[in-house]
Amino acid sequence: MHKRITWMVVVIALFVLFGGLSFGVGLYFDYLWFAELGKTAVFTTVLYAKSMLGSGTLLAAFLFLYFNLLFANRGPGQIEIGIPTPNGQITAYRVEPETVRRFAGLASLAIGFLIGVGYAANWERVWRWLHRVDFGSADPVFGRDVSFYFFTLPFLRDVVRFGLMLSFLALIGVAVLYYFKGALTWGQLKGSGGRSRPSVHISLLAALVFALLGASAYLDRFELLYGTHNVFSGAGYADLHARLPMLSLLAAAALVGALLWIANAFLKGSRPAVIAILLYLVVMFGGNLYPAFIQKFFVDPNELDKESPQIAHNIRATLEAYNLDAVEERDLSGDTALTARDIENNSATIQSIRLWDHEPLLDALKQIQEIRTYYDFVSVDNDRYLIDGQLKQLMLSARELNSASLPERNWINEHLSYTHGYGIAVGPVNRMTSEGLPVLHVQNIPPESAYPLLEVDRPEIYYGELTHSYALVHTGQEEFDYPSGEENVYARYQGEGGVRVHSLLRKLLFAFYFRDPNILLSPLVTRDSRFLYFRDIRQRINRLAPFLMLDQDPYSVISGGKLFWIQDAYTVSDRYPYSTRTPGVGNYIRNSVKVVVDAYNGDVDLYVADAEDPVIRVYEKIFAGVFRPLSEIPEHLHRHLRYPEDIFTVQTYMYSVYHMGAPQIFYNKEDLWQIPTLATGSTENPMSPYYTIMRLPQETREEFILMLPFTPGRKDNLSAWMVARSDGEHYGKLVVYRFPKQKLVYGPRQIVARVNQDAEIARQISLWDQRGSQVIQGNLLIIPIEEALLYIRPLYLRAQNGKIPELKRVIVAYENRIAMEETLEASIARIFEGEYSFAAGEARLAEQSAGAPPRAPTAGLGLVEEAGEAYSRAVAAQRQGDWATYGEELRKLGAALEELKRARDSRPAPEP
């Protein structure tokens, strides 16, 4: 028996020792990691806050529980325990008060420790309350500033919960202790013959419980503003006129009950206690029945009239909480006819139409640019760059190292040799080769750039989306840099990232921290070696700022010859009164922070993008010096900031409902909008927002925007479209363009249906299917030109058993006209019956970029390229014996040359 107990003690001691060592080592390396980033203020602030709050609540819980149990232990009676003997008899053993005292102390300490650990994890609520700032906006019911609901109310809730928890635990503990001591009987509880020590003690604890229940009921009044109803969110008529008064009455009943329990402690009999309990229960049950009665017989028969003020509160609060209260609405006539001249005047918009969807482009890049099996392209990002004086939309994808695909996976290869990705693939959104593959401005290893602005001098990617494990640099092992033909090129990390090994002790601790003995045993790891860990950019930012919600799409940027990641981050909450909630987000969101991560050094900079957001202002006060104003971001990075997709998606869903500002229209959903849905395979999914460069109606220049259309509820025609602007002084502004309700404007589903019914298009797709090729219909894009709309949909072709999708056709629709040609320009030209010239548009765009006055359209390089591509395809078809294609390409070559001739003949003679 003694040996078993000894072994149990040893095991527990080892477990505690190992756990304590793991905690201490983890804390140490967390500090080193924060010091590497120059953000030790985050580490020390959080550690201080958790330590103070945890130790404070532990001490308060221990003292409260221990002194209550100690007081009960000093009362009358003694604990006796019956222990059976081998002969079947029961032997009574008296437990000494000193033993009970020690046990009470250990139990109070254990419970206090658990409570302290739990409350230490909630340090943010306390620190946000201590550093709170006002919103400058009040709720419509109680008139309190919104900051009360964000910062003060959660703190008060925690305080009341803490008090209730301790009071209940103390009440149960002393009652059990009095019971086992034989000092607690029904007669004593009734108070017959005078008040006993146990009765007084329990009555006073019960009074404290009732007082705290009253405080809880009082705070529940404010929680009514987060209610949900069938039509709206927030407090309804029954809440305000029935539940609110009943909660106030319940709080008063609880406080009266507390006074009755105090009286019960000093008066004979138990009537005050019984009255206190019954009073509280009656009011509590009445608080459930009375609101239901009001809702059933007063609200439901006349709901619109009764709930109109509350609906108005909900609309206003939701628009404010989602930053939609400043949306600019512009009306479109819907009667503007699009001409070829309009197309030429909007050449920048036409040349920025995205023909490459992310998935087909990603598939193509994986086949033509991965170079080696251990490289991988994770995602495709959209951004804009000023190339040759013209704003161009490009698609970028970083070439990262995927250690899971290494041909030989071992510790040295995964952590010492293959440590980083290399380079990036960049191409225009709308160009393809004659084979239907993407044109690339940056490609290959080492990176080859077509433009100086896109040159990459530091292509190594040590920090990215696939860097999930640690890397060791400056070791005795050569570090693989990139492949070069049959040979490999090796390099040494020149950056400042990572934590230096420094000593044998730290090397041992690193091995313990990563649970990897190879670190300690390998002679390749020296004092000068550096550990790069937490290299996944999302994990890196989450550890640095766990209070921020991150956008799903961090995007890569080429700037100054280096690679960076820009990650949008949000402050979110579910504490905005009367605002409607979004699952996974809450009912308040702001894009408050732009995070920039250096892909080579791992530096992380947090820039405050919305200085008016009270939530981020609170965190700026908590973590002094960690955040930087957006004005300090380098200009070469500032020009690549964009409005993020996640918040725009949430805002468009909210605005589709909450653009209805009148309560009656909102209640009846008379003008409800919805996000259009399109078939993707066998399922239908809502359209996603997409970036493009365009000149908005009533604006004078092109800009980078994010847009999404709306259709009326349960209808397919288009009712409006929303854009988020990303450039210059207009950054962050939301604009909605509305079509007149009496005007029919085709929506996405209607256009898709008309395209599918087109005989020529259906025949061509059927022909491809018969040959065993897979036809992939790309995303439908709606492109506003002036006040009219073009609909664009690319078609990709993947050969049987092939992996590379080729961009083969582009479908363009405008009003009742549909065209499908090999290029976007050809389809637009067919729509406008040859009136449109892509070369003319190019020339006009070049003149505008150079600042020259516009002149008459002229043919140029575009037609020359078209003729050259037609000739190349004709030669390829001749070699393959495909005489039908050969003849078709010769016809296109002749048409291009004829167009060039006409353009030359129509050019005005030069002035003498």
Side-chain angles (χ1 to χ4, degrees), residues 797-858:
L797 203 62
R798 180 182 279 131
Q800 188 175 16
N801 301 324
K803 295 183 178 180
I804 304 179
E806 300 175 1
L807 178 55
K808 283 301 183 184
R809 295 289 188 273
V810 180
I811 299 173
V812 176
Y814 169 65
E815 292 186 342
N816 294 318
R817 291 173 254 175
I818 299 175
M820 182 180 76
E821 296 292 337
E822 292 188 359
T823 65
L824 173 65
E825 298 78 26
S827 294
I828 294 177
R830 183 176 167 188
I831 287 286
F832 293 98
E833 300 177 353
E835 298 175 6
Y836 167 69
S837 167
F838 175 62
E842 260 193 337
R844 178 163 301 203
L845 181 61
E847 289 172 351
Q848 292 172 356
S849 301
R855 58 183 175 84
T858 60

Side-chain angles (χ1 to χ4, degrees), residues 24-65:
V25 171
L27 210 60
Y28 173 64
F29 282 112
D30 279 350
Y31 174 78
L32 293 178
W33 183 80
F34 278 98
E36 172 208 346
L37 292 177
K39 301 289 192 300
T40 53
V42 176
F43 177 85
T44 54
T45 299
V46 174
L47 183 62
Y48 173 77
K50 287 185 175 182
S51 300
M52 292 297 294
L53 189 58
S55 59
T57 51
L58 184 154
L59 182 62
F62 169 75
L63 292 176
F64 185 81
L65 294 175

